[in-house]
Amino acid sequence: MEVADEQLMLAYRAGDAGAFEELYRRHKGALYRFVLRSIRAREQAEELYQEIWLRVIEARERYEPQAKFTTWLYTIAHNRMVDHWRKRGLQVVSLDQQESPVEPPAAASAQPELILQGKQSLARFLSALAALPPAQREAFLLHEESGLSVAEIARATGADEEAAKSRLRYALSKLKEALSDD
Amino acid sequence: MTDERDSSVDPRISARYRELGAPEPPRALDEAILAAGRRGASARPASLDRAQRRRWYAPLATAAVLVLAVAVTLHMQQEKPEIAAPSAKAPAPEAPAAASEQDLKLRMESSVKPPPAPAEPRRKPAESKPESKPEAKPFAPDPAPIQAPIPAPRSDAGAVVREEDRTARDAAAAARAPAYGPLEAQGQKRAESAPAPMAAPSAAAGRATRERENLASDALASSSVTASGLELERIATLRAEGKHDEADKALAEFRKRFPDYKIPEEMLRRVERR
């Protein structure tokens, strides 16, 4: 039977380096994609991704398994993301209903093969995802990549459940429109 | 939770999202983060020790404060009766003996001007005391004049306050001291009491003075003269000098101040009006 994330984190807090390696193996892909598809530039995304894990390492002594480890991990990721957006002069909440500035999405430009291969529908979907307001995109990515529920999304992002639910619904609605164009 | 998620997400959207691929972080990034994780794990014991030590801080500090508070309270309870005693039980007579050396010196300087070459510094002022100051008190049973702060020749206000405190402390300490004070203190009191009797130039006064001096010398030599004894000597001197009113007044005051003091028969004959 697989050891729960929370137990691994407690073991790591107690000094078990192997527990951290296992946690990292489990969550690295989802977290990396969450960050990569939230941030426009790969370089910035990787920097942010590393900062998030370093925060996890720093905060290990304060970790208490009051919630799922995943929720705790993505709370840290959300906070780092907010810091990142603030540095760029953006505010997550105020942009809740606004589209992101129309720029070529970094995620799409990072995967030019999608376009080159003629997978236009995927490119459109990626562009629609990149064009979502940050809060809505975050809600969708948290839902898809980490499997968080609406309540857990609300907790990780510091919003109430209604707001989290609304963001997710709007995000899904816009992405569905991109699908309908196919 | 799962139901909520499943019901809210269109499966086609999830499928399309999965088609975007699953990029992974670069291996170098993985290594860097795992190395940081290992360093964090190896740094754990020191921080844990700190946390364990921190857990002791509050109880230890609380215990220390309690012990200190109890110790101070006990100390204050022990000190309290001794501090209260002088004002409540040990009144004036002992207080003059308590005056500090400096205070006595200043008092003597202000009240008595000694002659240029005093062969006997304790007697000369008495003998040479002019009549110009008959109102000068020969003996001050009331401690107030001594305890009152003598203006110190300093400009430092703090120093003056400290001097007053020191004088008060000396007075309090002397009040706690036994009635038989040190020889020097007795001598100083005798020197204080000397000037006034000399104010009366009569033969009787001369005799009385000699008698008093003899008695005082004996008392000084035996070092067993009490403050009350000196006071009685003063009354006897007044009586011998014919100052009966003053003597009566002083005797009444003495009895009021020392109600339990049994005056020896011989002294009683000298101090009472016959």
Side-chain angles (χ1 to χ4, degrees):
Chain A
M1 183 180 171
E2 194 178 54
V3 180
D5 290 345
E6 293 75 28
Q7 294 302 315
L8 286 172
M9 190 60 201
L10 288 173
Y12 178 56
R13 192 181 72 174
D16 184 356
F20 178 77
E21 289 177 11
E22 175 62 18
L23 273 175
Y24 183 76
R25 188 192 61 76
R26 289 184 188 179
H27 295 279
K28 67 173 187 174
L31 183 62
Y32 181 74
R33 289 186 291 276
F34 168 75
V35 177
L36 183 66
R37 286 168 179 160
S38 299
I39 304 298
R40 295 180 183 280
R42 180 183 289 269
E43 194 176 324
Q44 287 179 6
E46 289 179 357
E47 190 179 331
L48 202 57
Y49 170 79
Q50 188 173 7
E51 283 180 21
I52 291 166
W53 281 108
L54 292 179
R55 286 289 174 93
V56 170
I57 293 166
E58 287 171 7
R60 67 193 180 281
E61 289 177 3
R62 298 190 297 274
Y63 174 74
E64 295 292 341
Q66 294 167 345
K68 280 173 66 178
F69 170 78
T70 313
T71 308
W72 184 69
L73 174 64
Y74 282 92
T75 302
I76 293 173
H78 166 78
N79 292 336
R80 290 300 303 123
M81 206 80 77
V82 169
D83 289 344
H84 171 79
W85 283 323
R86 278 183 183 152
K87 282 179 190 171
R88 289 171 58 87
L90 299 175
Q91 291 182 353
V92 183
V93 176
S94 66
L95 294 175
D96 211 2
Q97 302 300 325
Q98 295 178 16
E99 297 293 327
S100 290
V102 181
E103 291 178 21
S109 62
Q111 300 176 357
E113 66 274 12
L114 291 177
I115 300 168
L116 291 173
Q117 289 170 2
K119 296 182 177 177
Q120 298 296 326
S121 61
L122 267 183
R124 275 198 299 276
F125 183 82
L126 196 57
S127 295
L129 179 62
L132 286 175
Q136 293 176 17
R137 184 170 59 237
E138 183 183 43
F140 173 76
L141 291 173
L142 284 172
H143 184 82
E144 280 297 322
E145 287 293 351
S146 62
L148 296 187
S149 67
V150 169
E152 289 164 343
I153 291 170
R155 186 167 184 170
T157 58
D160 59 58
E161 279 194 40
E162 280 304 311
K165 193 173 183 178
S166 173
R167 288 169 186 172
L168 183 58
R169 194 170 59 245
Y170 275 111
L172 291 172
S173 172
K174 287 169 186 171
L175 291 173
K176 201 171 183 177
E177 286 176 15
L179 283 180
S180 63
D181 292 341
D182 290 347
Chain B
M1 166 177 101
T2 309
D3 294 340
E4 184 186 7
R5 196 170 71 226
D6 290 344
S7 62
S8 61
V9 177
D10 188 335
R12 288 186 305 155
I13 295 174
S14 288
R16 185 53 56 91
Y17 179 77
R18 299 293 165 205
E19 284 177 29
L20 290 175
E24 294 280 323
R27 185 175 293 276
L29 197 54
D30 287 345
E31 290 303 322
I33 292 167
L34 288 172
R38 282 191 288 271
R39 282 196 301 274
S42 63
R44 170 246 156 211
S47 58
L48 197 66
D49 287 349
R50 267 204 311 277
Q52 285 171 348
R53 278 201 303 272
R54 253 183 251 123
R55 278 199 289 273
W56 281 101
Y57 287 168
L60 193 65
T62 307
V65 167
L66 283 175
V67 167
L68 194 64
V70 168
V72 168
T73 307
L74 287 175
H75 184 70
M76 287 180 71
Q77 284 176 349
Q78 287 172 356
E79 286 289 317
K80 213 171 186 176
E82 294 179 16
I83 293 169
S87 60
K89 292 182 179 177
E94 283 81 7
S100 66
E101 191 176 346
Q102 185 183 357
D103 295 339
L104 287 168
K105 206 177 288 179
L106 287 168
R107 277 172 52 80
M108 289 177 70
E109 284 173 5
S110 63
S111 61
V112 178
K113 292 284 182 187
E120 292 179 19
R122 287 175 183 152
R123 295 187 182 186
K124 271 290 180 184
E127 290 171 2
S128 63
K129 180 67 189 165
E131 296 179 15
S132 58
K133 290 186 179 179
E135 70 281 5
K137 289 268 182 182
F139 185 79
D142 189 355
I146 292 181
Q147 286 184 346
I150 298 167
R154 297 178 189 175
S155 60
D156 185 359
V160 172
V161 170
R162 281 196 297 277
E163 182 64 28
E164 290 173 5
D165 290 344
R166 192 172 68 81
T167 307
R169 277 202 306 277
D170 290 344
R176 289 198 299 271
Y180 300 103
L183 191 62
E184 191 178 350
Q186 299 288 351
Q188 283 174 347
K189 274 189 282 188
R190 196 173 65 83
E192 272 189 6
S193 63
M198 294 303 104
S202 66
R207 280 196 307 276
T209 302
R210 280 193 297 277
E211 190 180 346
R212 182 192 58 76
E213 285 175 356
N214 289 337
L215 284 169
S217 297
D218 293 340
L220 188 65
S222 64
S223 74
S224 61
V225 177
T226 65
S228 53
L230 284 173
E231 175 67 5
L232 287 171
E233 279 299 325
R234 187 180 73 87
I235 296 169
T237 302
L238 289 171
R239 188 75 70 196
E241 289 171 353
K243 298 177 178 178
H244 294 295
D245 290 342
E246 281 186 47
D248 288 344
K249 193 176 173 184
L251 184 61
E253 190 178 349
F254 178 86
R255 281 180 167 148
K256 190 176 169 186
R257 188 166 292 161
F258 302 103
D260 298 331
Y261 186 84
K262 183 170 170 46
I263 302 172
E265 195 62 36
E266 186 182 349
M267 180 60 76
L268 197 61
R269 280 199 299 274
R270 293 173 56 209
V271 297
E272 280 190 329
R273 188 193 287 263
R274 295 292 175 183

